[in-house]
Amino acid sequence: MSWLKEMAGGPALPPYKEPAGPSSEPKVSDPAIPNRMVSNKSANRPFLAYKEYREQQEALHAAWVQKKKERDEKIARGEKVGSLEPDPTAQHEVGLLGLMKFIVYCIIFLALAGKFITGSYTWEYQSKWTQLKTYWPTNQRLFSERLLAEYDGSVEGRPIYLAIDGDVYDVSKGRSYQPGGSYHILAGVDAARAFGTGCFKEHRTHDTRGMSDDELRGLQHWKNFYAEHKDYIKVGRVVHTPIDPNSPILEHCDPKKAAKQKSQRHLTATSTQKPSATEKSTKETEHKEL
């Protein structure tokens, strides 16, 4: 603690002196303090090794500078020279390729660590984004309504498919879609309307005419649900027969909602058929002229 006394205004410390007598450990020159010898013990070896490394780097750089100087002199005399080797001591910046390599190495390390610790390359994280089918859909196909109906779970060993607004998904992993499940009624068919209205028995159709804004938002919610689900993979599209625009629109399974939607459609039809004031005055003028 003598250095505290010096800071408090006490006498200065005496200069460092090597201890007298023979030393059991060999000593080398201190790389930081001139004219000082330090022990070659294991605690000092990293600093000594760094000094040796710096000396080697300085020697390599000096040799490269000399070669560059000789090459420049030959060029000045008009002699032919080869290409100059890069400075072996130059520090190279990490480019885009180096950064990508680093990211790949990190991913490989994390995957191997997950396999070693949890037995899973993905650390037991289950998601559709960890499946190759999400990025490389090789089994996309086009279904007819008749073909889609064959994948309703009635045939053992065959996958169960479900369609929503044209997109077909494999829902074989869902227990609710198995025969006897609560959602088995949606298997093998595009029941887009049922997803929006909630009338799963009455609205097993892709016809979305006359659906309210809330029902369309509900349909979009379910479309996002299947598109982002970790177990349900899109396998293709279904081609529907065209819907006759003159065919009647299905009524809601809830009588109150059905009456409300019916009145709204009636008001819409009345407003479109009722002539405007301009058209009415035009017709009256034409009638008077006649």
Side-chain angles (χ1 to χ4, degrees):
M1 294 295 182
S2 56
W3 59 274
L4 290 176
K5 295 181 179 179
E6 183 180 2
M7 292 181 63
L13 295 176
Y16 173 81
K17 293 182 179 181
E18 294 287 342
S23 176
S24 59
E25 297 179 353
K27 294 186 176 182
V28 295
S29 59
D30 191 334
I33 303 177
N35 302 325
R36 180 184 178 186
M37 304 298 290
V38 294
S39 174
N40 193 20
K41 58 185 180 180
S42 58
N44 294 337
R45 286 173 187 172
F47 303 98
L48 300 176
Y50 177 72
K51 176 192 176 184
E52 183 179 356
Y53 167 77
R54 290 297 303 170
E55 291 176 350
Q56 292 177 356
Q57 292 294 101
E58 291 175 359
L60 289 173
H61 181 68
W64 179 83
V65 171
Q66 182 62 28
K67 289 182 180 180
K68 183 177 183 300
K69 183 178 180 181
E70 294 175 356
R71 181 176 180 275
D72 294 341
E73 291 176 353
K74 290 181 180 180
I75 293 175
R77 292 194 298 266
E79 299 179 7
K80 293 183 178 181
V81 295
S83 59
L84 180 65
E85 298 179 356
D87 186 358
T89 62
Q91 296 182 356
H92 302 282
E93 295 184 358
V94 179
L96 179 60
L97 181 61
L99 179 61
M100 294 178 63
K101 287 182 178 180
F102 174 76
I103 294 174
V104 171
Y105 291 152
C106 289
I107 294 174
I108 294 175
F109 174 78
L110 291 175
L112 294 176
K115 184 66 175 179
F116 177 76
I117 297 174
T118 65
S120 171
Y121 289 109
T122 59
W123 293 78
E124 297 184 350
Y125 174 72
Q126 299 295 331
S127 172
K128 67 178 297 182
W129 307 113
T130 59
Q131 301 181 25
L132 184 60
K133 293 181 180 180
T134 304
Y135 307 97
W136 199 337
T138 57
N139 55 348
Q140 296 278 326
R141 60 186 300 186
L142 201 60
F143 293 85
S144 64
E145 293 179 347
R146 181 178 178 181
L147 179 60
L148 179 63
E150 297 179 2
Y151 293 89
D152 61 349
S154 57
V155 180
E156 186 177 356
R158 184 175 292 178
I160 300 176
Y161 291 163
L162 169 151
I164 177 170
D165 202 19
D167 294 328
V168 182
Y169 293 92
D170 185 346
V171 294
S172 303
K173 294 184 178 180
R175 294 183 179 179
S176 301
Y177 303 100
Q178 306 294 331
S182 57
Y183 290 145
H184 179 252
I185 194 173
L186 300 175
V189 68
D190 187 347
R193 189 179 190 89
F195 284 102
T197 62
C199 303
F200 295 106
K201 293 182 179 180
E202 298 82 359
H203 290 175
R204 296 178 71 247
T205 176
H206 63 284
D207 186 2
T208 58
R209 294 178 303 157
M211 293 177 61
S212 64
D213 293 339
D214 291 338
E215 291 171 345
L216 292 174
R217 281 192 291 268
L219 172 60
Q220 185 61 44
H221 164 76
W222 283 107
K223 290 174 64 177
N224 296 336
F225 169 79
Y226 287 104
E228 299 173 0
H229 201 281
K230 65 182 181 65
D231 293 329
Y232 305 150
I233 304 299
K234 184 179 178 181
V235 295
R237 294 273 301 175
V238 59
V239 179
H240 295 294
T241 56
I243 299 175
D244 184 3
N246 297 321
S247 61
I249 297 176
L250 296 176
E251 294 186 356
H252 202 281
C253 56
D254 186 348
K256 294 182 179 179
K257 292 184 178 180
K260 182 178 179 180
Q261 291 180 353
K262 190 174 182 179
S263 63
Q264 288 178 350
R265 287 197 295 268
H266 178 71
L267 290 175
T268 302
T270 304
S271 62
T272 54
Q273 294 177 0
K274 184 178 180 180
S276 61
T278 304
E279 294 176 349
K280 188 175 180 180
S281 61
T282 303
K283 290 182 179 181
E284 291 178 352
T285 303
E286 292 177 352
H287 180 71
K288 290 179 180 179
E289 290 178 354
L290 292 174

